[in-house]
Amino acid sequence: MPPPADIVKVAIEWPDAFPKLMEIDQKKPLSAIIKEVCEGWSLGSHEHFALQLADGTRYYITEKNRNDIKNGSILRLTTSPSLSASQLHERIQSSSMDAKLEALKDLASASRDITFAQEFINLDGISLLTQMVESGTERYQKLQKIMKPCFGDLLSFTLTAFVELMDHGIVSWDTFSVAFIKKIASYVNKSAMDAAVLQRSLAILESMVLNSQDLYQKVAQEITIGQLIPHLQCADQDIQTYTVAVINALFLKAPEEKRQEMAHILAQKQLRSIILSNIIRSNQPINDEMAHQLYVLQVLTFNLLEDRMMTKMDPQDQAQRDIIFELRRIAFDVECDSNNSGSIEKRKSMYTRDYKKLGFINHVNPAVDFTQIPPGMLALDNMLYFAKHHQDAYIRMVLENSSREDKHECPFGRSSIELTKMLCEILRVGELPSENCHDFHPMFFTHDRSFEEFFCICIQLLNKTWKEMRATSEDFNKVMQVVREQIMRTLTHKPNSLDQFKSRLQNMSYTEILKIRQSERMNQEDFQSRPIVELREKIQPEIMELIKQQRLNRLCEGTCFKKTNNRRKPDKYWYCRLSPNHKVLHYGDLEESPQGEVPFDSLQDKLPVVEMKAVVTGKDCPHMKEKGALKQSKEWLELAFSVLYESDEYLNFMAPDKHEYCVWTDGLNALLGKEMTSEYTKADMDTLLSMEMKLRLLDLENIQIPEAPPPIPKEPSNYDFVYDCN
């Protein structure tokens, strides 16, 4: 019989005393348990004490999180959060430099705990920290030359504590003064500043900008792009990441009318080339957070095109009409000399003929073609850029198609408009950046006019694909589908430059696309005939049962899991395995990662399968709901799962990798009689089902399978042909 669920066996430490082994009754109030512990060591004033986890997190045990205590946990008796907060509040105001530094160091560590943070904030602790930043450190400025390391540490711990306290979301960002913002900005603006101070200052500025429109205005007045640029040229990728994050925040929160102005300043300061040389092409690998910030910058840059994309052309605007005239002039320059001669009707006829050659839908008034939004005026901008900056390719494309008489001409105007619309969809122009995406493309950081150059490459690809397909106007949509596929498949390779993108597109011909499509169809075995569908449906339950047995067999082998903390890497282990009769989960703590399977007799704890109620994953897990846990990376959330059993108790897991996560969640769901829904189950089902289908259809190769079964023949008039072999 397992021990009662409400009783937890723990060890409790107290300085200069032997640890006390005791059983905690989770039904008793926490204050009563603390009183009992204090009386055991003859300590009075038990209300001034609390229990903490004895690991590196040092998180306080509260009524909210006490159910997370497991058998074998090591706790420590310590001062209560309120008393600890009061003591630290007093210590950080010490006149002694060394005492102040030690107190701030302790505060930076303690502030990670939300229980302590709440108590310290209640003492107006954040105001005290901001006052220290604004004026309290001024008296040490004179000592900075002779005590520079100490001064840097003092400020670093002050800002670290401030960031940790604000991360809990208890205090609004709108409460800070201009003096505080100026002081934080001054740390960023200084050319020589301690790396830790600079990093935390950048993090504070980013949070201010993102959390308050009012603070954005104040920060924007104190920080210029020119002051941020030098931080991108340092070797510390963390500082580079925070710098790009601040630039993105300023970009994102800027009013629409100021974004173009800010983009112009970024171009003047050569932000793109600095990022390209110091980050993208540096020797350091780009981490996930930097990749995300570069993706955000890429999205925000392309979003500057949204205004032109959503602007219709005014057919009566002469300046806009002149752009179309310029397209005509560049393409048909030789014929322009005679354009001014003859009657108005003759000139109109000539214009109509030329606009038809240029591939516009409306030959009489091409301006009407640009009234569709999207792509609006952005398409005309792209066409003019192509005509001016790639003039030879533009003239060759127009003249080549205008001289054809076989109805296979590629309409440049219509193609450019639809292609611009397609590129905006691919790059999601106008959409806000995703919070978890890291999909930036290095090639867009290699040119100041990357979108226009991207268009120029793709319009030439479209013309090439049109010829390869020998398309006519009726095939326009088919060509656009092929071109989209060519572009999307090439972008997945993340080419490092536009030239490399262009080179890869040359290999992605229409013939190659057909081969890829055919290969994918063969691999997927996507047969749609009714007999094949019925056969798949018949086989599927057998395959699913096979996968289920494999998952349960893996649970019987067992897995070693790491015990995780919110603020540091896991360093303790526990093991869990399913009994061969599939009726009990055996688990227990280990000192180190085992080599091979762990025997059942060494696993002290048991959980009968009949007591299991449900399996929850990700953010729904109890150990992922805490504030500190939510700050962990997305990868941690994707590996967490918990088993709910009697009286709302949980057994919490953190899988070592994605494969083990899928195996265990599938196996546990199978034990509960629920559907196995992991991505590995889907992949295994597709693989095994495809193999089984191929085996069963092997003898039917090159034989056409009819849609309907053959008719059953009539019974014979007699059965004389039947004879007994014996």
Side-chain angles (χ1 to χ4, degrees):
M1 285 290 293
D6 296 323
I7 303 299
V8 183
K9 296 180 179 181
V10 299
I12 301 179
E13 298 176 341
W14 175 251
D16 302 324
F18 288 107
K20 184 187 293 293
L21 299 177
M22 67 178 295
E23 294 183 350
I24 291 179
D25 186 351
Q26 293 285 36
K27 291 182 178 179
K28 290 175 64 176
L30 193 59
S31 57
I33 295 171
I34 295 171
K35 182 179 179 181
E36 181 183 341
V37 174
C38 290
E39 289 174 349
W41 274 308
S42 302
L43 299 173
S45 303
H46 64 87
E47 65 274 6
H48 292 156
F49 291 91
L51 292 175
Q52 272 184 338
L53 289 173
D55 58 13
T57 61
R58 299 290 176 93
Y59 281 115
Y60 281 101
I61 304 300
T62 64
E63 293 291 353
K64 290 183 179 179
N65 63 20
R66 62 184 296 178
N67 289 329
D68 293 341
I69 303 174
K70 300 300 179 185
N71 280 319
S73 297
I74 301 176
L75 309 180
R76 65 192 291 264
L77 187 65
T78 185
T79 53
S80 66
S82 58
L83 181 59
S84 179
S86 178
Q87 291 173 345
L88 275 174
H89 190 274
E90 185 177 344
R91 286 172 58 200
I92 63 176
Q93 300 180 70
S94 170
S95 58
S96 167
M97 186 73 150
D98 291 336
K100 193 183 194 77
L101 181 61
E102 195 63 30
L104 285 168
K105 184 177 181 180
D106 292 342
L107 178 63
S109 175
S111 297
R112 299 170 182 172
D113 187 293
I114 190 170
T115 310
F116 170 86
Q118 184 69 67
E119 295 292 341
F120 189 79
I121 289 169
N122 290 343
L123 295 173
D124 214 13
I126 286 187
S127 295
L128 177 59
L129 291 179
T130 55
Q131 288 170 15
M132 291 172 61
V133 172
E134 291 174 24
S135 58
T137 55
E138 291 293 341
R139 51 185 168 156
Y140 302 111
Q141 291 282 2
K142 296 178 181 178
L143 301 176
Q144 189 175 357
K145 290 184 179 179
I146 58 174
M147 304 182 69
K148 188 173 182 181
C150 187
F151 175 77
D153 289 343
L154 184 78
L155 188 54
S156 172
F157 288 128
T158 304
L159 295 179
T160 301
F162 176 82
V163 170
E164 294 290 351
L165 291 168
M166 291 302 298
D167 275 353
H168 295 295
I170 300 170
V171 178
S172 170
W173 282 94
D174 286 311
T175 58
F176 298 106
S177 66
V178 175
F180 179 72
I181 298 170
K182 285 180 179 291
K183 184 60 67 174
I184 297 296
S186 71
Y187 300 143
V188 174
N189 294 338
K190 285 182 181 177
S191 56
M193 177 52 69
D194 181 79
V197 173
L198 176 58
Q199 183 176 321
R200 285 155 182 76
S201 298
L202 288 166
I204 292 169
L205 291 178
E206 182 199 6
S207 295
M208 284 180 171
V209 172
L210 291 177
N211 286 286
S212 170
Q213 189 64 33
D214 184 47
L215 285 183
Y216 156 75
Q217 301 286 351
K218 296 174 182 176
V219 172
Q221 291 173 4
E222 299 298 327
I223 292 291
T224 65
I225 300 299
Q227 291 163 336
L228 292 171
I229 292 292
H231 299 312
L232 295 174
Q233 297 169 318
C234 70
D236 189 331
Q237 189 168 123
D238 287 336
I239 291 177
Q240 290 176 327
T241 303
Y242 278 109
T243 303
V244 178
V246 173
I247 293 173
N248 285 338
L250 291 169
F251 215 145
L252 188 63
K253 291 297 181 178
E256 290 187 14
E257 63 273 10
K258 287 190 176 181
R259 286 182 188 169
Q260 292 289 351
E261 179 184 339
M262 186 173 175
H264 181 65
I265 294 172
L266 292 176
Q268 283 184 329
K269 299 295 182 182
Q270 297 184 326
L271 174 70
R272 178 197 58 77
S273 59
I274 290 171
I275 289 176
L276 183 66
S277 57
N278 291 279
I279 300 176
I280 297 176
R281 291 181 177 172
S282 70
N283 295 325
Q284 296 184 71
I286 295 176
N287 59 39
D288 285 347
E289 184 56 33
M290 175 59 87
H292 172 69
Q293 294 300 337
L294 292 177
Y295 153 78
V296 172
L297 181 60
Q298 173 186 294
V299 170
L300 295 176
T301 303
F302 283 140
N303 281 357
L304 295 171
L305 303 169
E306 184 182 11
D307 183 51
R308 294 294 284 175
M309 181 182 77
M310 301 306 292
T311 301
K312 293 182 179 181
M313 185 171 183
D314 182 3
Q316 306 304 319
D317 189 326
Q318 188 58 43
Q320 295 179 357
R321 292 169 62 87
D322 286 343
I323 299 176
I324 299 176
F325 292 149
E326 182 68 6
L327 289 173
R328 176 182 171 276
R329 184 196 66 77
I330 295 172
F332 308 111
D333 188 55
V334 178
E335 302 176 23
C336 282
D337 295 337
S338 60
N339 282 351
N340 294 327
S341 60
S343 64
I344 296 175
E345 289 76 11
K346 187 176 181 180
R347 285 204 301 272
K348 284 184 178 180
S349 174
M350 188 180 297
Y351 291 160
T352 301
R353 181 200 65 190
D354 290 346
Y355 292 149
K356 183 177 181 180
K357 290 180 180 180
L358 280 169
F360 290 112
I361 298 174
N362 192 315
H363 307 151
V364 178
N365 187 6
V368 177
D369 289 9
F370 299 97
T371 55
Q372 173 194 355
I373 54 171
M377 288 295 292
L378 185 60
L380 189 57
D381 294 342
N382 283 339
M383 293 167 70
L384 184 62
Y385 182 90
F386 180 49
K388 286 189 171 182
H389 293 82
H390 299 271
Q391 194 169 113
D392 291 343
Y394 167 70
I395 294 172
R396 183 169 59 252
M397 185 184 300
V398 172
L399 296 182
E400 179 183 86
N401 287 290
S402 63
S403 61
R404 300 186 69 142
E405 298 294 338
D406 55 1
K407 296 184 180 180
H408 289 287
E409 64 275 2
C410 176
F412 172 73
R414 182 185 177 190
S415 298
S416 298
I417 293 169
E418 291 301 319
L419 178 63
T420 301
K421 182 180 178 181
M422 179 199 296
L423 297 184
C424 289
E425 291 172 357
I426 291 173
L427 299 177
R428 298 181 178 179
V429 175
E431 295 183 20
L432 288 174
S434 169
E435 291 184 5
N436 300 316
C437 186
H438 308 99
D439 190 24
F440 84 98
H441 295 278
M443 71 177 191
F444 291 130
F445 290 86
T446 61
H447 201 285
D448 289 329
R449 304 287 295 274
S450 58
F451 184 80
E452 289 87 343
E453 288 292 327
F454 186 45
F455 167 83
C456 293
I457 294 170
C458 293
I459 192 65
Q460 294 177 75
L461 166 73
L462 191 152
N463 187 60
K464 174 175 172 284
T465 303
W466 186 283
K467 289 189 289 185
E468 290 173 352
M469 293 178 66
R470 290 197 54 78
T472 62
S473 57
E474 288 80 10
D475 303 316
F476 188 87
N477 291 332
K478 292 180 182 178
V479 176
M480 295 304 294
Q481 289 174 4
V482 173
V483 170
R484 176 187 282 270
E485 189 171 345
Q486 290 171 313
I487 294 170
M488 293 295 289
R489 289 185 183 277
T490 305
L491 284 176
T492 57
H493 295 289
K494 296 290 182 71
N496 291 321
S497 66
L498 289 163
D499 287 338
Q500 193 176 99
F501 173 71
K502 186 175 183 179
S503 176
R504 285 184 177 274
L505 277 180
Q506 295 299 320
N507 300 325
M508 194 65 68
S509 63
Y510 174 58
T511 305
E512 185 65 23
I513 290 292
L514 289 179
K515 288 180 181 177
I516 293 172
R517 286 178 174 178
Q518 184 177 5
S519 174
E520 289 178 350
R521 279 196 297 268
M522 291 179 66
N523 291 335
Q524 292 172 357
E525 290 292 341
D526 190 17
F527 301 128
Q528 299 300 322
S529 63
R530 192 158 62 89
I532 301 296
V533 172
E534 289 178 358
L535 180 60
R536 288 173 68 92
E537 291 174 353
K538 182 180 179 181
I539 296 173
Q540 204 158 344
E542 302 173 17
I543 302 296
M544 186 58 75
E545 183 62 27
L546 183 64
I547 295 172
K548 175 183 173 181
Q549 291 304 318
Q550 187 274 340
R551 297 292 193 264
L552 294 177
N553 290 341
R554 275 288 293 108
L555 264 61
C556 291
E557 293 175 12
T559 301
C560 178
F561 297 94
K562 292 180 180 180
K563 284 190 171 183
T564 57
N565 300 319
N566 292 337
R567 284 283 175 168
R568 71 179 217 179
K569 294 182 179 179
D571 55 0
K572 296 181 181 179
Y573 301 88
W574 68 290
Y575 199 88
C576 186
R577 60 183 298 195
L578 179 66
S579 62
N581 61 6
H582 300 170
K583 291 186 177 180
V584 181
L585 281 176
H586 297 261
Y587 62 95
D589 293 342
L590 301 174
E591 291 298 324
E592 57 184 17
S593 182
Q595 300 297 322
E597 294 182 8
V598 176
F600 287 106
D601 54 10
S602 64
L603 303 176
Q604 301 299 322
D605 298 311
K606 298 179 181 179
L607 172 60
V609 172
V610 292
E611 294 182 7
M612 291 169 47
K613 293 183 179 180
V615 177
V616 294
T617 60
K619 291 183 179 180
D620 295 328
C621 298
H623 57 314
M624 290 290 109
K625 284 184 177 179
E626 296 150 8
K627 182 70 180 176
L630 288 176
K631 290 186 205 174
Q632 299 297 346
S633 64
K634 180 185 175 186
E635 287 75 14
W636 278 41
L637 290 174
E638 290 178 344
L639 297 177
F641 61 98
S642 301
V643 176
L644 171 65
Y645 56 100
E646 61 176 16
S647 66
D648 293 332
E649 293 291 324
Y650 284 89
L651 186 61
N652 297 321
F653 295 78
M654 182 65 70
D657 52 50
K658 191 68 176 177
H659 180 265
E660 289 296 324
Y661 170 84
C662 292
V663 165
W664 274 85
T665 52
D666 283 343
L668 293 171
N669 279 318
L671 288 173
L672 293 171
K674 296 182 179 180
E675 187 180 355
M676 299 183 294
T677 57
S678 78
E679 58 189 61
Y680 275 66
T681 294
K682 294 175 183 176
D684 289 348
M685 172 62 75
D686 291 342
T687 301
L688 294 172
L689 193 57
S690 175
M691 291 173 61
E692 185 67 21
M693 290 288 292
K694 287 177 180 178
L695 286 171
R696 296 202 182 192
L697 297 175
L698 199 60
D699 293 335
L700 297 178
E701 190 174 356
N702 298 323
I703 297 176
Q704 187 174 1
I705 302 173
E707 282 294 324
I712 299 174
K714 295 179 180 179
E715 289 191 20
S717 56
N718 61 70
Y719 291 88
D720 293 344
F721 59 88
V722 177
Y723 62 94
D724 190 350
C725 294
N726 297 324

